[in-house]
Every structure is written in structure tokens, then in C-alpha cells.
Amino acid sequence: AETDSPFMFLAFCFEYLEVKINGLEYCSSLPISFDGSNSGTQHFSAMLRDELGAKTVNLSCSSIPQDIYQIIADDIEIKLQNDLINGTENRKELRNENDGTVFEIIKHGTKSLAKQWLDYGMNRKVTKRPVMTVVYSATQYGFSDQLLEDCVRPAIDDGSGYMFTEARQACQYMAALIWEACHENISAAMKVMEWLKASAKLLAKEIKVDGVITKKAAPVHWVCPDGFPVWQNYYKQRKTSILTLINGKESRAKVSDDDTSSYNPTKQANGVAPNFVHSMDGCHLRKTVLKANTKYNITAFSLIHDSFGTVAADAENLYHSIREAFVEMYEENDFYYQFENQLPVELLSKMPPLPEKGNFNIKEVLKSKYCFA
């Protein structure tokens, strides 16, 4: 009952008992899964051959598994200790309300905020959700909401979060530290996301030169390494107000639908990074299943996002299939040119340059024990 997944552990116990009774002749049907070490960062690090990012998410060979969430938590703890000694003091501020009232609030300095988080305990639970979602376009502001929901509010509710005297300020402070740590530890992933966002904004909007439309607004599209086409259509919304009855009372409801004649450049830009990396997750899954089936005759699969499972007898071959498929995806990658080719020649100069590539050898993935483990 004390394990992370009690019923999964119980299922293992039943299978293990059968093996002890019947030996290796027992036919086990329990799925054995291999999970990616933050698959979004894995994809972006592979695209840019980023050595540091590849190391933190186990793409490169290592004798011990790397934990990106703990790496960032350890990095932040050092910063907390520094702020505890050298940080800013609390200060008082006056806040004006719309009704004319004025009241005094305490704006906590970094010394106080650092102490609150150190008293709470800096661990991978604090960093996991923000770091996991940053490559799917989670923002620093979004980090703050996640921290409030996952850590601070539950701690306050059960009485262990007594140290958080101003919950929102504590969350905003930690969100900024995690955001900074992500730029330091997985900088290539952060740069690719910004490049995708800038490129999508350029590709999606209508462009005029001397009053003449040289490029119409259009959806952003790309083709995955296995040939699967992806089209990203975000339209502007038509909003309509409808007067209706709800529980016998007159009420006004607002409904919206897509205006298919007008694209939304902002949503195109904000959506491209998560959609792109999700499409790479899907591509890796499809390539893995095909390779496992055609090369190793595996027919049983248990698949969720970046978790690949099969029965115990086929687990070793699936282990190799996952790595072989991933390497094939990134040995040659022309996604920059796919985006570039959507622009007319006269606008190519506006295309942002691709972030500089590193020297990570993608074939190391074949020998990495822990990239999917």
C-alpha cells in the first residue's frame, strides 16, 4: 500500500508468484513499460544535438540515470541558499482599491521567500510539473499556477504549509527560479521553442509589401519523419450573444465558432511548439511499433504517449526498437527547410535563424540504458 502504484505492484506480485511456482514456462501477460525521460526535452535536444540537454534527459550514455527534475531542484536549492544570505528584505507597500480605500501590504523579499521554500523542502516534486510542461509551451505565469495547485495550496490545507504566509508571492518567486533554471539546463529546448514560435508567427500572418499582399495568411504545416502530415489551423473566433431562458430566467449567453476565412496568428504561434513536439512523440510511437513488429515480430503493445510497453518475453526487443526508431528520426532532420519552404523567396530574409547545433552524437542513444527505462 505504500508503493507509488499499489495495484500495479500487486499485479506484479501475482505474476512473480506464478513464476516462482511454474518457473520460466509461465506465460506472463503483464505489460513491462519503458518510459521516456521528459520526452519533449529529448526531442528538442536531439534536433539540435545539444550535449547538455541530451545528458540531463539520458540520451547520452551514463553509468547512472540522470533526473532532469532533481537536477533543476538541486540547482534551485543553491540559489535559495544564496538568497537566504544575500537576498532582499521585506518591504511595505500601499495598495489602492477601486473604491478609494488604501491598505498596507507586505511585499516579501527574496530572503523571506527563500526561507519559506527551504522550510517546505526543495525537492523534485516542486520542479517536476513545470519542467515537464515547459517544452509544451507552459509559461512562467503558468508555473506559478501549477506550484499553487500542486504544492502550496495542498500544504496549507493539511497544515504543513504554515511557512507560506503569502502563497501567490511564494509561487511567483519559485516560478521565476524554475524558469531561469530551465534556460540554463535545457537551453536548446527553450531556444527551439522560441524559434518555432517566431517562425509560426511569420508563416501564419498575411504580409503586405507596398500595399500588395505577397503572402496570404495560411495554416502552418510540416511533415513528420515517417511521412505523417500535420496542419495547424487556428482561426479567429466569431462571437455571438444569444438571449435565452435558463431555469425560467432570462439570460444572455455567448457562443463562438471558427471564422474559417481568417487565421489567428497569435494562436498559431503559441500552439506550434506543443503541437510540433506532440507530433514527434506520435511519430516516435508509430516508428517504434512498426520496427518492433517487422523486425522483432512483437504483436502485443501497451502504449501511452512516451511510455512503451509489451509482455516480459518481448521486453528486451522492444527496448532496442525504441532506441533504433528514435535514432532513425533524427539522423537526418530537415524541419527548418519545411518551415522555410512555406515562405515566398522575397520574405526568406525574415525567417529567424535556427539556433546553433551542438556536437551530440545521436547514435549514443542506441547504447543509452536510461533514455527509455
Side-chain angles (χ1 to χ4, degrees):
E2 296 176 0
T3 59
D4 288 340
S5 303
F7 283 102
M8 290 179 68
F9 184 75
L10 180 61
F12 156 76
C13 292
F14 288 140
E15 293 291 294
Y16 188 62
L17 175 62
E18 292 289 346
V19 174
K20 295 295 286 184
I21 294 172
N22 300 304
L24 295 180
E25 296 302 313
Y26 174 66
C27 184
S28 172
S29 59
L30 187 71
I32 307 299
S33 295
F34 302 94
D35 296 351
S37 300
N38 191 314
S39 67
T41 302
Q42 287 181 320
H43 287 298
F44 285 140
S45 298
M47 288 176 199
L48 281 191
R49 303 292 194 271
D50 176 46
E51 299 100 324
L52 177 60
K55 180 179 180 181
T56 60
V57 291
N58 293 299
L59 291 182
S60 54
C61 297
S62 174
S63 58
I64 56 173
Q66 302 297 310
D67 183 349
I68 180 61
Y69 312 116
Q70 190 62 54
I71 289 170
I72 288 184
D74 292 343
D75 184 28
I76 291 173
E77 181 154 15
I78 294 171
K79 294 176 180 178
L80 292 175
Q81 296 289 355
N82 182 63
D83 278 353
L84 186 64
I85 299 170
N86 303 312
T88 59
E89 302 289 347
N90 293 351
R91 67 181 188 275
K92 295 179 180 178
E93 289 185 356
L94 295 178
R95 177 168 292 177
N96 298 308
E97 291 293 292
N98 293 332
D99 61 3
T101 58
V102 179
F103 63 96
E104 190 176 78
I105 64 169
I106 295 177
K107 189 71 174 177
H108 286 264
T110 53
K111 278 187 178 180
S112 171
L113 294 168
K115 186 177 187 309
Q116 291 175 35
W117 280 104
L118 288 169
D119 287 346
Y120 173 79
M122 190 63 213
N123 54 54
R124 73 191 299 274
K125 178 185 175 182
V126 176
T127 61
K128 184 171 183 178
R129 189 175 169 198
V131 176
M132 183 184 294
T133 57
V134 70
V135 290
Y136 298 98
S137 284
T139 62
Q140 183 175 322
Y141 184 84
F143 286 1
S144 180
D145 288 340
Q146 291 172 354
L147 291 163
L148 185 65
E149 181 181 337
D150 295 349
C151 302
V152 176
R153 185 62 63 197
I156 291 173
D157 290 343
D158 69 19
S160 63
Y162 62 88
M163 69 288 296
F164 295 120
T165 54
E166 287 289 342
R168 178 56 71 178
Q169 289 184 35
C171 292
Q172 290 171 344
Y173 168 70
M174 178 55 65
L177 291 178
I178 297 175
W179 186 258
E180 181 184 0
C182 285
H183 277 86
E184 292 170 354
N185 289 279
I186 52 173
S187 60
M190 304 296 281
K191 288 175 181 176
V192 172
M193 285 192 298
E194 288 303 314
W195 180 86
L196 285 168
K197 189 174 180 178
S199 300
K201 204 165 188 175
L202 177 64
L203 295 169
K205 70 180 182 179
E206 180 180 88
I207 297 176
K208 292 183 179 179
V209 178
D210 298 328
V212 178
I213 297 176
T214 57
K215 177 189 171 299
K216 293 182 178 180
V220 179
H221 57 89
W222 61 90
V223 179
C224 295
D226 65 344
F228 186 86
V230 182
W231 286 72
Q232 177 183 275
N233 291 4
Y234 286 110
Y235 300 107
K236 291 182 179 179
Q237 297 286 295
R238 283 188 299 244
K239 295 186 178 179
T240 306
S241 183
I242 299 175
L243 189 63
T244 185
L245 291 176
I246 298 178
N247 290 333
K249 294 182 179 180
E250 194 174 83
S251 180
R252 191 168 291 278
K254 289 185 177 180
V255 296
S256 61
D257 66 330
D258 288 337
D259 177 4
T260 56
S261 66
S262 182
Y263 293 99
N264 188 323
T266 302
K267 284 192 173 182
Q268 293 278 46
N270 291 340
V272 69
N275 289 335
F276 186 82
V277 77
H278 274 306
S279 74
M280 295 300 116
D281 281 327
C283 178
H284 184 213
L285 184 148
R286 293 189 299 272
K287 287 179 71 67
T288 296
V289 169
L290 288 171
K291 181 168 288 293
N293 179 253
T294 56
K295 184 176 180 179
Y296 298 105
N297 297 316
I298 299 174
T299 57
F301 297 95
S302 173
L303 307 162
I304 306 173
H305 189 58
D306 64 340
S307 176
F308 302 78
T310 190
V311 293
D314 290 329
E316 183 177 357
N317 286 333
L318 182 63
Y319 170 99
H320 294 298
S321 300
I322 295 167
R323 286 152 177 78
E324 290 166 13
F326 191 89
V327 170
E328 287 179 7
M329 281 180 64
Y330 293 112
E331 279 186 309
E332 293 187 12
N333 196 316
D334 62 350
F335 68 94
Y336 175 86
Y337 301 105
Q338 290 194 50
F339 282 72
E340 182 186 65
N341 289 339
Q342 296 176 52
L343 284 174
V345 175
E346 60 270 21
L347 294 178
L348 289 179
S349 60
K350 294 187 177 182
M351 186 76 171
L354 186 69
E356 187 176 348
K357 285 189 174 183
N359 297 309
F360 172 63
N361 181 358
I362 194 67
K363 287 189 179 295
E364 276 196 49
V365 172
L366 297 174
K367 299 178 181 178
S368 171
K369 293 181 180 178
Y370 305 110
C371 58
F372 288 84

